[in-house]
Amino acid sequence: MSGDLPSSCDLLVIGSGAGGLASAVTAAVLGLDVVVIEKARHFGGTTAWSGGWMWLPRNPLARAAGIDEDEATIRTYLRHELGEGYDEAFVTMLLEQGPRMVEFFRRESAVDFIDGNLMPDFHGNTPGAGTGGRSLCAKPFDGRELGARLHDLRPPLAEIAPFGMNIASGADLQHFLHATRRLPSFLRVLRRLARHFVDRASHGRGLHLVNGNALVARLLKSADDLGIALFKDTAAAELLRDGERIGGAVVEREGQRRTIQATRGVVLATGGFPHDLARKSALFPHAPTGREHWSAAPCSNTGDGLRLGEAAGGHVRTDLRHAGAWAPVSLVPKPGGEPGRFPHLVERAKPGALMVRRDGKRFCNEADSYHDVMQALLAATPAGEPAEAWLLCDHAFLRRYGLGRVRPRPFPIRPWLGNGYLKRGTTIAELASACGIDAAGLAGTLDTYNAAAAAGRDPEFHRGETPYNRIQGAADNQPNPCVAPLGPGPFYAVRIVPGSLGTFAGLKTDAQARVLDDHDAPIPGLYAVGNDMSSMMAGRYPAGGITLGPAMTFGYVAAHHAGGIPLANNRS
């Protein structure tokens, strides 16, 4: 549903990622009249570019598979991981209402899930760490079911989607990595590519939707089925008060300002501040001007929700361990414009990749989470130096796994050498010279690493020794799926700069997702979810999906509160 902007509704949702759309769909199922506005030309926000994973322990799919964890074990993990940032009210809300949210969406909407029962938490040595059963992802979706709405859905991130085709993690990705080595994988990939190109020819984009793109598509389908009014290219300019209560917003559309009254309140869900230079400068120590940080989130996420919340009396938390969800990023040259940002989420853990600083020395376990790797780089960078590193590999690795935007065989290498994105050296000394790395330091690092790697060991950084490391590696590389020597040459490298997948610092709320004022009192009628809500993980990153899992859950919670409908609190 779209058309002319209405003058009033029950609930106004500003932003259309997972948190915003979860709020909207839940509210509509509960009987509220809902309007969603999105300032970008596509719906979906960062969610549509994401892997789509949600960290939701004790979810129904895990329990159906016989994984019925003791809640105390999950709390133990979070207490150790979050430290002083552990908040009992938020943790209880997530553990109680997360599974109920999943059941609700499966029962009442077009949203469905696949399990992540093999996905471990990031830190396997922390007490209470899970080895599976705490994650979900959106079930793949046929874009035809969206009808004309398909073209309102944000396309996949071009840097990580070959020919505009998202590849799901797990079995799907493994088939692509083995396409030139195993006949069944080759045939599977051939069928996927054939279908994708037919879909592009007939519909302008791929129709087999996976990952975060599938999650947004399912939420959009649900919104349309429920008659929710969805407006893109529409920005919120200011919030309206009805006495002490937030009662709507002034919005801008096609150069005109309009007022939308919202009797049950407003939900802020604009995706945080990954492209707000001023706030990055204030909260990212490694980015004194804000320009030294390269987020892979959509450029439309410029902190609108945070500014709206502050103007209404809320405040942004500045006491988190980290203000952003860090990730190593390489800058992909683009003719006549800003470079693309490639988030290095996968290939670092494969056997035979190394990361070094300009002194030629390693600084991290390359198979650890993206947040941990970037955290290690920031810690290893001396004051006054730019936080940069090089991710390097040999020729066999490059052709099997790819390196950043350079895809594996049979995709060509030459264009990336030509535009400077990929550096090459016949020897390690030549590669060091091409990258500006200390040659002696790099040679020493490689000698030390290779000597142990020949036996599948990494005594310096213990790569491949946790379940998360191992599942990210290559199962057919034994005895350690993450460790193999580098060489012979030629050798290749791409430059790594500080980046993120989104932001953690957001508006302070209570566990009902109500925005709090400076005295920690709820501002009536104002909610924040997703990255506009300060992360319940307090700037830590204990597992994949700790953004989208809470975003969906607290969107569900906010809608119940706005509708005046109590949440069920008995345990399933």
Side-chain angles (χ1 to χ4, degrees):
M1 177 180 176
S2 54
D4 293 332
L5 279 170
S7 60
S8 65
C9 62
D10 293 328
L11 186 68
L12 174 62
V13 178
I14 303 173
S16 66
L21 290 177
S23 304
V25 170
T26 302
V29 172
L30 297 177
L32 275 63
D33 176 29
V34 183
V35 172
V36 176
I37 63 170
E38 166 60 58
K39 81 170 185 179
R41 56 191 290 259
H42 293 105
F43 296 110
T46 308
T47 304
W49 280 357
S50 74
W53 287 99
M54 294 156 270
W55 195 75
L56 293 165
R58 303 183 76 245
N59 67 74
L61 277 71
R63 300 181 73 178
I67 304 173
D68 195 2
E69 286 192 277
D70 180 3
E71 190 176 296
T73 303
I74 303 162
R75 290 181 182 272
T76 294
Y77 183 64
L78 289 176
R79 283 194 179 96
H80 280 85
E81 286 286 303
L82 306 188
E84 71 279 5
Y86 181 93
D87 189 304
E88 190 75 37
F90 280 89
V91 171
T92 296
M93 189 67 80
L94 181 71
L95 295 183
E96 287 188 357
Q97 300 304 328
R100 294 189 175 281
M101 177 274 294
V102 173
E103 293 172 344
F104 177 91
F105 276 97
R106 295 180 81 193
R107 182 179 67 248
E108 303 287 352
S109 77
V111 178
D112 204 354
F113 306 89
I114 56 174
D115 69 70
N117 290 344
L118 298 178
M119 294 289 292
D121 291 335
F122 282 168
H123 303 134
N125 295 324
T126 298
T131 56
R134 297 180 180 178
S135 301
L136 290 171
C137 193
K139 192 174 184 179
F141 186 72
D142 187 342
R144 292 174 182 83
E145 295 189 38
L146 278 178
R149 181 70 72 192
L150 175 68
H151 299 288
D152 293 337
L153 171 65
R154 183 181 294 277
L157 179 61
E159 279 70 29
I160 62 174
F163 310 113
M165 176 178 64
N166 257 347
I167 300 172
S169 57
D172 197 26
L173 176 60
Q174 292 307 311
H175 282 298
F176 275 85
L177 291 176
H178 291 109
T180 61
R181 305 172 73 240
R182 298 176 184 171
L183 181 59
S185 292
F186 173 77
L187 294 175
R188 166 81 170 263
V189 169
L190 193 62
R191 287 193 296 270
R192 283 272 273 118
L193 287 169
R195 173 182 170 177
H196 179 74
F197 284 118
V198 168
D199 290 344
R200 283 190 61 174
S202 58
H203 291 83
R205 61 163 293 165
L207 298 178
H208 179 70
L209 308 183
V210 299
N211 302 341
N213 222 236
L215 178 59
V216 174
R218 287 181 172 277
L219 286 164
L220 287 175
K221 176 67 165 63
S222 304
D224 280 337
D225 289 347
L226 290 162
I228 294 173
L230 299 162
F231 296 93
K232 60 181 182 177
D233 297 311
T234 305
E238 60 182 283
L239 297 177
L240 299 174
R241 284 192 179 274
D242 181 6
E244 293 300 310
R245 183 178 184 83
I246 299 301
V250 176
V251 305
E252 295 181 351
R253 178 177 171 84
E254 297 177 346
Q256 301 294 317
R257 285 199 166 199
R258 295 277 301 277
T259 295
I260 302 177
Q261 304 289 339
T263 58
R264 298 299 184 98
V266 174
V267 178
L268 301 174
T270 67
F273 64 96
H275 296 284
D276 180 343
L277 289 178
R279 207 175 295 270
K280 285 195 296 181
S281 173
L283 296 181
F284 293 2
H286 62 275
T289 72
R291 300 182 185 278
E292 299 84 356
H293 183 91
W294 302 83
S295 179
C299 291
S300 55
N301 294 10
T302 55
D304 296 5
L306 276 57
R307 289 189 293 274
L308 290 167
E310 288 172 324
H315 62 283
V316 173
R317 288 190 60 179
T318 59
D319 60 342
L320 306 188
R321 173 68 64 86
H322 300 285
W326 309 140
V329 165
S330 56
L331 301 180
V332 182
K334 288 187 174 181
E338 277 209 350
R341 295 93 189 265
F342 184 96
H344 290 260
L345 309 180
V346 177
E347 86 276 43
R348 294 175 290 100
K350 304 304 181 190
L354 287 183
M355 290 184 73
V356 301
R357 293 188 59 254
R358 67 179 186 178
D359 59 8
K361 297 178 181 179
R362 294 172 70 200
F363 56 90
C364 69
N365 175 344
E366 294 89 349
D368 278 349
S369 78
Y370 34 89
H371 183 76
D372 290 344
V373 166
M374 184 48 58
Q375 186 178 334
L377 175 58
L378 295 174
T381 302
E385 284 190 19
E388 296 180 354
W390 292 88
L391 178 60
L392 54 100
C393 68
D394 61 24
H395 187 77
F397 181 104
L398 181 74
R399 301 316 283 147
R400 179 172 178 183
Y401 301 113
L403 190 68
R405 180 59 182 83
V406 185
R407 308 202 194 281
R409 184 183 294 112
F411 291 93
I413 300 172
R414 190 174 300 278
W416 304 106
L417 293 169
N419 67 15
Y421 175 75
L422 183 68
K423 304 296 186 183
R424 178 170 63 186
T426 304
T427 66
I428 280 293
E430 286 185 9
L431 183 69
S433 176
C435 299
I437 301 171
D438 180 80
L442 182 56
T445 293
L446 196 60
D447 288 345
T448 300
Y449 173 80
N450 277 350
R457 297 186 301 110
D458 178 20
E460 186 175 9
F461 289 103
H462 308 285
R463 184 162 151 183
E465 295 182 13
T466 65
Y468 177 76
N469 277 192
R470 291 191 289 272
I471 202 169
Q472 295 289 99
D476 59 356
N477 186 81
Q478 295 299 326
N480 189 328
C482 301
V483 174
L486 272 74
F491 300 94
Y492 301 87
V494 295
R495 186 172 68 103
I496 300 296
V497 297
S500 61
L501 304 181
T503 50
F504 284 151
L507 293 163
K508 187 175 184 180
T509 72
D510 64 10
Q512 299 279 354
R514 297 180 294 181
V515 177
L516 303 179
D517 65 17
D518 287 337
H519 302 288
D520 285 343
I523 299 172
L526 186 60
Y527 305 85
V529 298
N531 286 348
D532 281 358
M533 173 188 189
S534 192
S535 171
M536 65 165 283
M537 302 297 173
R540 279 78 164 184
Y541 214 138
I546 55 90
T547 296
L548 291 185
M552 292 284 292
T553 301
F554 288 99
Y556 168 84
V557 168
H560 276 79
H561 190 276
I565 299 172
L567 291 160
N569 57 17
N570 58 306
R571 302 297 178 87
S572 57

